[in-house]
Amino acid sequence: MHTVFYVSDGTAITAEVFGHAVLSQFPLPFEHVTMPFVGDEAKANSIKERINDSYRQSGKQPIVFHTIVDTKLREIITSSDAKCYDFLNTFVSPIEQQLGVKADPRTHRTHGMDNRKHYDARIDAVNYALENDDGVTTKEYDEADIILVGVSRCGKTPTSLYLALQFGIRVANYPFIDQDMEQMRLPTALKANRHKLFGLTIDPNRLQEIRERRRAGSRYAAPEQCQYELEQVERLFRMEAIPFIDTTFHSVEEISVKILERTGIPRRIF
Amino acid sequence: MHTVFYVSDGTAITAEVFGHAVLSQFPLPFEHVTMPFVGDEAKANSIKERINDSYRQSGKQPIVFHTIVDTKLREIITSSDAKCYDFLNTFVSPIEQQLGVKADPRTHRTHGMDNRKHYDARIDAVNYALENDDGVTTKEYDEADIILVGVSRCGKTPTSLYLALQFGIRVANYPFIDQDMEQMRLPTALKANRHKLFGLTIDPNRLQEIRERRRAGSRYAAPEQCQYELEQVERLFRMEAIPFIDTTFHSVEEISVKILERTGIPRRIF
């Protein structure tokens, strides 16, 4: 098995996420090793040794994906016996040519704290999502960018948190309960912000499976209850013209991006 | 200003995150446009038109960062008048040569739902973080990978959620309160899991600023209270040999990666 090293003088998150995207195109298993915060020559040299050891021991040439801004440290890593792929500079050079502007490399610009205001906005979005999770309060809906609605356990909370943490968006979420669905009308708190509502739905069997894992044998997890709630909630979405998507076969990332696509709200942080 | 288009037949998250990392090396502003889920030729052609329009209107050649797995759709986008950078294939071809294995391209492998078990584990980690946030319960600490400890508002909750959502790690967090700090000893619930404890601390001025935004003029936000709590908590960390880091100048990503580096726990999802 080939070993893949993700090496960076920052968090190495870019190298990891992007490296995994590239390798996911290959029908092979890999061993993954992440080496973040390579900040000095001693550390760079010890990583170079480890890369070379891995080659000697496995007989397979390691792959190194790196995003190292410091030139000296980069040279140490690329002088190893691995095949090294330079994620940043591969694109920086042609873009310099295209724009006629020299790059001004700095470490920690990607996942660092360069922009404090921006960063505070992100933490505020996380706090907002937590304080407005699961309908615990509806008083702050005026400040929401989006209010996710749907039955219990259809994916509202993870989606709210993802949109907050990764995209800096303020998302409240409200679970429809039996009473809302019997009356087939929106609770008053939601009516005033109906332009912000976005619905999530899910396959009844999948919902049952999720609820069963939480409260085995309960009415809440019964097949007919799941079926009933979902039928009613989808009728309500249609009646009230609330846009909605089915979360069954989608990851949190896919759901989040689809919501932004439909609402036109841009992501605020990267 | 140059317009940058992030185009993908998936979520475009890889293109966005990686494209931002590349462009952050340039001291220039850019206009960003994200085009996810380009699933058919009609959509690809309309995006090509939009890219060409942007060139005509601004007079500046647009930049296109793309991760399009489908060959036909990719050809439509790269036949636009923009300068196109192919994030995946730039690296896939040389890696094919290195490994002597052909890539087997499939859409949605990066941020999709390919691995349901993996995905459930991630949602479980998010639920775990929420249920074990802020010391609300200590009964499930046996199941934690890490237990973050520190004073109120030092960054425990966003870090717990980030580690859960992005890395699939089960993180509880426990806030030290006055009583714990006066007695200068660990609460019983923490003692049994002391090998899982990881401390966060923060600069007193920064803490005061954060608390002031939440409860202006309170004792909780008073400079001397912030100072006292932090002094005590750092003494406790040292006395009990709990590893800890200062969050003041670090992003959630940096804090999370530092914790994994110190504890040796690998990230579980990408």
Side-chain angles (χ1 to χ4, degrees), chain A residues 206 209-210 213 248-251, chain B residues 112-127 164-165 167-170 268-270:
Chain A
R206 176 72 184 144
E209 196 183 302
I210 296 169
R213 282 203 300 153
T248 315
F249 299 107
H250 296 298
S251 69
Chain B
M113 287 277 280
D114 254 22
N115 188 336
R116 167 70 76 178
K117 224 168 134 183
H118 186 112
Y119 193 74
D120 284 347
R122 174 193 200 179
I123 298 301
D124 285 347
V126 172
N127 289 330
L165 254 178
F167 296 174
I169 293 169
R170 293 165 85 93
R268 305 225 169 96
I269 56 171
F270 289 91

Side-chain angles (χ1 to χ4, degrees), chain B residues 92-199:
Chain B
V92 166
S93 307
I95 294 171
E96 281 181 330
Q97 291 203 335
Q98 182 193 349
L99 301 181
V101 172
K102 282 300 270 182
D104 167 26
R106 280 171 51 198
T107 313
H108 302 302
R109 194 140 40 181
T110 314
H111 291 112
M113 287 277 280
D114 254 22
N115 188 336
R116 167 70 76 178
K117 224 168 134 183
H118 186 112
Y119 193 74
D120 284 347
R122 174 193 200 179
I123 298 301
D124 285 347
V126 172
N127 289 330
Y128 184 86
L130 290 172
E131 285 158 15
N132 291 277
D133 184 39
D134 210 29
V136 283
T137 174
T138 60
K139 282 180 293 185
E140 298 175 6
Y141 281 4
D142 287 347
E143 296 165 40
D145 293 313
I146 297 165
I147 304 166
L148 295 179
V149 291
V151 304
S152 169
R153 295 288 144 183
C154 66
K156 297 183 300 301
T157 298
T159 306
S160 307
L161 291 171
Y162 186 88
L163 283 164
L165 254 178
Q166 294 300 101
F167 296 174
I169 293 169
R170 293 165 85 93
V171 186
N173 78 77
Y174 182 95
F176 283 135
I177 52 168
D178 270 9
Q179 205 188 340
D180 302 320
M181 285 178 295
E182 272 158 26
Q183 300 180 347
M184 278 297 281
R185 66 170 185 229
L186 289 180
T188 317
L190 296 182
K191 271 187 196 155
N193 285 284
R194 58 176 301 148
H195 58 291
K196 296 179 182 175
L197 302 185
F198 201 102

Side-chain angles (χ1 to χ4, degrees), chain A residues 16 24-25 43 85 98 104 109 111 116 119-120 122 131 206 214 251-253 261 267, chain B residues 16 24-25 43 85 98 104 109 111 116 119-120 122 131 206 214 251-253 261 267:
Chain A
E16 279 185 319
S24 74
Q25 306 296 312
K43 194 160 175 190
Y85 298 93
Q98 182 193 349
D104 167 26
R109 195 141 36 181
H111 292 113
R116 168 69 77 180
Y119 194 74
D120 285 347
R122 175 192 198 180
E131 286 159 13
R206 176 72 184 144
R214 289 193 76 80
S251 69
V252 174
E253 283 85 351
E261 201 188 17
R267 66 185 285 177
Chain B
E16 279 185 320
S24 74
Q25 306 294 313
K43 194 159 174 187
Y85 299 93
Q98 182 193 349
D104 167 26
R109 194 140 40 181
H111 291 112
R116 167 70 76 178
Y119 193 74
D120 284 347
R122 174 193 200 179
E131 285 158 15
R206 175 73 183 143
R214 290 193 74 81
S251 68
V252 173
E253 281 86 352
E261 201 188 15
R267 67 184 288 180

Side-chain angles (χ1 to χ4, degrees), chain A residues 2 11 13-14 16-18 20-22 24-28 30 36-37 43 61-63 65 69 83 85-88 90-92 94-96 98-99 101-106 108-113 116 119-120 122-124 126-127 130-131 153 157-158 161-162 165-167 206 213-214 248-254 257-258 261 267 270, chain B residues 2 11 13-14 16-18 20-22 24-28 30 36-37 43 61-63 65 69 83 85-88 90-92 94-96 98-99 101-106 108-113 116 119-120 122-124 126-127 130-131 153 157-158 161-162 165-167 206 213-214 248-254 257-258 261 267 270:
Chain A
H2 288 267
T11 60
I13 290 175
T14 302
E16 279 185 319
V17 171
F18 187 59
H20 270 258
V22 170
S24 74
Q25 306 296 312
F26 288 89
L28 286 179
F30 296 94
F37 306 120
K43 194 160 175 190
Q61 187 180 27
I63 294 171
F65 291 133
V69 172
K83 186 101 174 86
Y85 298 93
D86 186 334
F87 277 168
L88 291 177
T90 299
F91 297 104
V92 166
I95 294 172
E96 281 181 330
Q98 182 193 349
L99 301 180
V101 172
K102 282 299 270 181
D104 167 26
R106 281 171 52 198
H108 301 303
R109 195 141 36 181
T110 315
H111 292 113
M113 286 278 279
R116 168 69 77 180
Y119 194 74
D120 285 347
R122 175 192 198 180
I123 299 301
D124 286 347
V126 172
N127 290 331
L130 290 171
E131 286 159 13
R153 295 289 146 183
T157 297
L161 291 170
Y162 187 88
L165 254 178
Q166 295 300 102
F167 296 173
R206 176 72 184 144
R213 282 203 300 153
R214 289 193 76 80
T248 315
F249 299 107
H250 296 298
S251 69
V252 174
E253 283 85 351
E254 288 170 329
V257 172
K258 276 173 199 287
E261 201 188 17
R267 66 185 285 177
F270 288 92
Chain B
H2 287 266
T11 60
I13 289 175
T14 304
E16 279 185 320
V17 171
F18 187 60
H20 270 258
V22 170
S24 74
Q25 306 294 313
F26 288 89
L28 287 179
F30 296 95
F37 305 119
K43 194 159 174 187
Q61 188 181 27
I63 294 171
F65 291 133
V69 173
K83 186 103 173 85
Y85 299 93
D86 186 335
F87 278 167
L88 291 178
T90 300
F91 297 104
V92 166
I95 294 171
E96 281 181 330
Q98 182 193 349
L99 301 181
V101 172
K102 282 300 270 182
D104 167 26
R106 280 171 51 198
H108 302 302
R109 194 140 40 181
T110 314
H111 291 112
M113 287 277 280
R116 167 70 76 178
Y119 193 74
D120 284 347
R122 174 193 200 179
I123 298 301
D124 285 347
V126 172
N127 289 330
L130 290 172
E131 285 158 15
R153 295 288 144 183
T157 298
L161 291 171
Y162 186 88
L165 254 178
Q166 294 300 101
F167 296 174
R206 175 73 183 143
R213 283 203 298 152
R214 290 193 74 81
T248 315
F249 299 107
H250 296 299
S251 68
V252 173
E253 281 86 352
E254 287 170 329
V257 171
K258 276 173 200 287
E261 201 188 15
R267 67 184 288 180
F270 289 91

